[in-house]
Amino acid sequence: MLEIHVLGISGSLRRGSYNTALLHAASELLPEGMTLETFDLSSIPLYNDDVRALGYPEPVKEFRDRIAAADALLIATPEYNYSIPGVLKNAIDWASRPPNPPLDGKPVAIMGASTGNFGTVRAQMHLRQVCVYCNMLPLNEPEVLVMRARDKFNADGRLVDETARELIRDMLLALANWVRRLRASSTTFASP
Ligand SMILES: Cc1cc2nc3c(=O)[nH]c(=O)nc-3n(C[C@H](O)[C@H](O)[C@H](O)COP(=O)(O)O)c2cc1C
């Protein structure tokens, strides 16, 4: 069985982030043949096209290289004001630019935790819209929406809600199948 290497990205820089904790939970629930490592967005500067024209800053280079090397991304996004956090959008903006934008054609699974009642559904829909322009290949289902996060994690920040854990397990399995299906397909995807 071919290995699937996944890069996990949290849209929250907060030490006690529920979304970063979702990535930790995912690392405990990986199907056979899948590995997961994460990239911390705190080193990514604010996007500036003048800076890009002079050459990508080191942390951005590393971020782009890590995306390019991954078979798929797993993004855990908070919801900020009904959308994705600026931190995440900013990082995507850097990764979306030429030459060879590493997001182009990249399979991605999306999940999110919020303290509210809707579990980041609005942010996830916005993120899917961003994926369209970047020509990413998001997994459609299952959707992982962890609402009322304060009730789903223990005091150590571990996801203890069994339903949510099961959903993440199912999503990772679906992601593995998605990546294998895309690998097997001879379809080529044109850049936008
Ligand atoms: C600027 C800001 C905007 C927020 N907007 C929303 C929102 O639109 N919907 C929602 O459910 N929660 C919202 N929240 C609450 C977040 O769901 C909550 O802070 C969550 O814990 C953030 O994710 P994290 O734990 O990974 O940092 C907002 C929080 C912040 C700081």
Side-chain angles (χ1 to χ4, degrees), residues 10-14 16-20 77-83 113-120 122 149:
S10 170
S12 174
L13 306 183
R14 203 168 70 82
S17 161
Y18 294 121
N19 286 282
T20 305
T77 184
E79 182 168 289
Y80 279 9
N81 300 316
Y82 282 18
S83 187
S114 80
T115 49
N117 285 327
F118 298 99
T120 71
R122 294 158 295 217

